[in-house]
Amino acid sequence: MSERELIERARKGDRAAEREIYDAHVDRVFRLAYRMCGRADLAEDFVQETFVKAFGALDKFRGDAALSTWLHSIATRVVLNGLRSVKRHERRAEPLEAADREAGGATEPPDPDLKRRLTAALDGLKDEYRMVVVMHDMEGYTHDEIGAALGIAEGSSKARLSRARAMLRAELAPYAMEWMR
Amino acid sequence: MTDETRNPTHEAEPPDEEKVGELLRRHRALYHDPPRTPREAIWSRIEAERRGAGGIGRGAHVIPFAPRNWWLGTLAVAAVLALGIALGRMSLRQEAERQGAAGPPVASVETPAAGRESPREPDTGARPEAELEPGAEIAAPEQLAVAPEAAEEPEAAAPRPSGRRQAAPAPAPRAEEPAVQAPAVADPEQLYRLASQQMLGQAEALLVQYQTDRAADRMDPAIARWARDVLTSTRLLLDSPAADDPGMRDLLEDLELVLTQIVQRTGETDLLDDEMIDRTIEDRDLMPRLRGAIPVGVGAI
């Protein structure tokens, strides 16, 4: 069955068609959501919200782009909005955490652990940049797909990736050669 | 390479951009490596949400509390306010009678604020920074509205400053004679304080619900109606002696602003409206101030 037929059936309330659409796309959406938040509970919330919104708005899907592109445009918006909210809450807890760190005394020595360095460097990026890095370098999306999902031009996606990598380069440089071996 | 990325202390030559990309691809398992998709669990939640059963599925864990019977709370606040006003009027009458029998007539409710022992600071509309901190000024529950001991003092029912809406009458007479005691029937000040706390609990629940919906990129259409009711209570309190405390009044005025924004929010998700509301909540530190102003154990009804 073609994607168009599947969508048509889903629009008419065919649950099997909805499930088929879900099965075809959920893994990619979940992977992206998880990469961005690093928490299973949040990722599940984001995926749930993405598909609820998508099924609710299927009538508005004109079919100009692939269903996957449309779904990803919803998913990226849900994830970025969700992360913004989570970070707002975290910011409120920050003063206490900072006080704890200060009470701890000495500054941390350079951390040679790749996982921690990589995580810290990526987490230090703005979400809009991190999204492009995650999509392109970790999940293998093309710039065309990223641009469509984020509602930006393909060239803007490339520019964001380039700037994000430049920022990461400075962070990861001390250990990069070792890790590249 | 840009200057900002060049670091002479680096032992190794920084990799070029492509190398960074290669490094990320090679080590992608180290960064938030996704587990297997819990397909069935998520599907169940999607179905539950779409059916309306269970509302938002397991995602409900992000909502601390979202009372669906919020109208009970606003009803309770309104009832308490009405009771406070009624008691205030009653005590006015009683004192007038007592004063009429014992000596000179009691001072009018319109008596200027000059007679107050603790004159409030002029209202500039600006909120002092100290009030941002929970625990400071408005944060202490006992400082909300009028403190219990203040209610026993003759000047407790001071007149509201000019410019305040005069919709609600003062609950107790403005008595300048120290000999005049408030009636023992009930304490209107305590009622106002209770109403304030309940209303603040409602407001907190509403804003938490709003932020949760916002995070989930959806908005319960009922939230505008809820906000309208809480806004009504807020305005009633602003017109009552509960707002005589400067910190409390600032909090109520900030609440009035954000609630008005929520009420006026367009039906469809309007990002501009939402961003403005977010900014108001954040810039005015509303959530911490609200939480600081609500004593433990008092929440939305």
Side-chain angles (χ1 to χ4, degrees), chain A residues 15 18-19 22-24 26-27 30-32 34-49 51-53 55-56 60 77-78 81-82 84-85 88-89 91-92 114-115 118-119 122-123 130 133-134 136-139 161-163 165-170 172-174 176-177 179-181, chain B residues 1-2 4-7 10-43 45-47 49-51 55-62 211-212 214-218 268-269 271 275 278 281-282 285-288 291:
Chain A
R15 286 185 61 243
E18 286 181 349
R19 178 66 200 234
Y22 171 81
D23 282 338
V26 68
D27 287 340
F30 179 76
R31 287 184 65 84
L32 179 60
Y34 191 91
R35 286 271 193 215
M36 287 300 292
C37 66
R39 278 173 51 183
D41 58 341
L42 267 184
E44 288 174 30
D45 285 349
F46 293 157
V47 173
Q48 175 188 349
E49 198 51 43
F51 280 95
V52 167
K53 282 177 77 76
F55 290 142
K60 293 176 192 161
R77 198 153 60 93
V78 166
N81 281 344
R84 193 172 56 165
S85 172
R88 263 202 304 269
H89 287 289
R91 267 205 305 276
R92 296 211 170 96
L114 172 59
K115 182 172 181 172
L118 193 63
T119 302
L122 282 162
D123 285 349
R130 197 162 58 91
V133 172
V134 161
H136 188 273
D137 289 341
M138 295 187 159
E139 292 297 319
L161 181 67
S162 176
R163 287 190 65 186
R165 282 175 171 176
M167 290 184 258
L168 289 172
R169 185 171 53 183
L172 300 174
M177 288 302 127
W179 296 334
M180 294 298 290
R181 281 192 211 119
Chain B
M1 187 191 307
T2 61
E4 68 177 345
T5 59
R6 210 174 257 136
N7 185 343
H10 290 165
E11 291 170 10
E13 184 66 21
D16 62 26
E17 265 183 37
E18 280 309 312
K19 287 261 173 60
V20 172
E22 191 187 326
L23 182 123
L24 292 171
R25 273 190 292 278
R26 188 189 291 184
H27 296 291
R28 63 177 177 268
L30 296 179
Y31 184 71
H32 299 169
D33 194 28
R36 196 170 170 176
T37 313
R39 285 186 173 202
E40 294 309 319
I42 301 176
W43 180 252
R45 290 169 54 190
I46 291 169
E47 288 214 304
E49 182 169 350
R50 298 192 70 213
R51 276 200 310 269
I56 58 170
R58 202 175 63 86
H61 76 274
V62 296
Q211 290 183 321
T212 305
R214 179 97 168 88
D217 206 18
R218 68 174 155 233
E268 293 298 313
T269 299
L271 282 177
E275 277 168 15
D278 289 346
I281 294 173
E282 198 154 331
D285 241 359
L286 263 179
M287 298 310 285
R291 286 172 185 142

Side-chain angles (χ1 to χ4, degrees), chain A residues 138-155:
Chain A
M138 295 187 159
E139 292 297 319
Y141 290 75
T142 64
H143 283 296
D144 184 34
E145 288 174 312
I146 297 168
L150 295 178
I152 56 176
E154 192 180 331

Side-chain angles (χ1 to χ4, degrees), chain B residues 68-221:
Chain B
R68 310 314 295 175
N69 54 346
W70 48 268
W71 54 272
L72 281 174
T74 50
L75 200 65
V77 172
V80 171
L81 279 172
L83 187 59
I85 289 164
L87 284 169
R89 283 181 171 162
M90 193 165 72
S91 63
L92 244 178
R93 206 175 304 126
Q94 284 177 348
E95 281 183 83
E97 285 167 8
R98 224 178 301 164
Q99 293 242 335
V106 69
S108 155
V109 180
E110 278 72 36
T111 303
R116 300 182 64 181
E117 275 186 10
S118 307
R120 55 192 300 156
E121 290 173 11
D123 180 26
T124 59
R127 183 164 45 85
E129 282 303 305
E131 289 171 32
L132 297 177
E133 293 299 320
E137 194 157 0
I138 63 159
E142 64 272 16
Q143 289 179 305
L144 289 176
V146 180
E149 59 272 22
E152 293 163 12
E153 295 169 9
E155 70 277 11
R160 292 161 297 182
S162 60
R164 180 96 54 81
R165 284 181 294 275
Q166 299 293 317
R174 164 101 190 120
E176 290 183 348
E177 297 294 328
V180 176
Q181 293 298 315
V185 181
D187 186 355
E189 301 299 339
Q190 281 184 342
L191 285 167
Y192 279 120
R193 192 166 58 249
L194 178 64
S196 309
Q197 289 167 355
Q198 288 184 344
M199 195 284 295
L200 293 177
Q202 278 288 313
E204 188 202 6
L206 169 75
L207 294 182
V208 167
Q209 179 69 61
Y210 169 83
Q211 290 183 321
T212 305
D213 283 3
R214 179 97 168 88
D217 206 18
R218 68 174 155 233
M219 199 54 68
D220 186 343

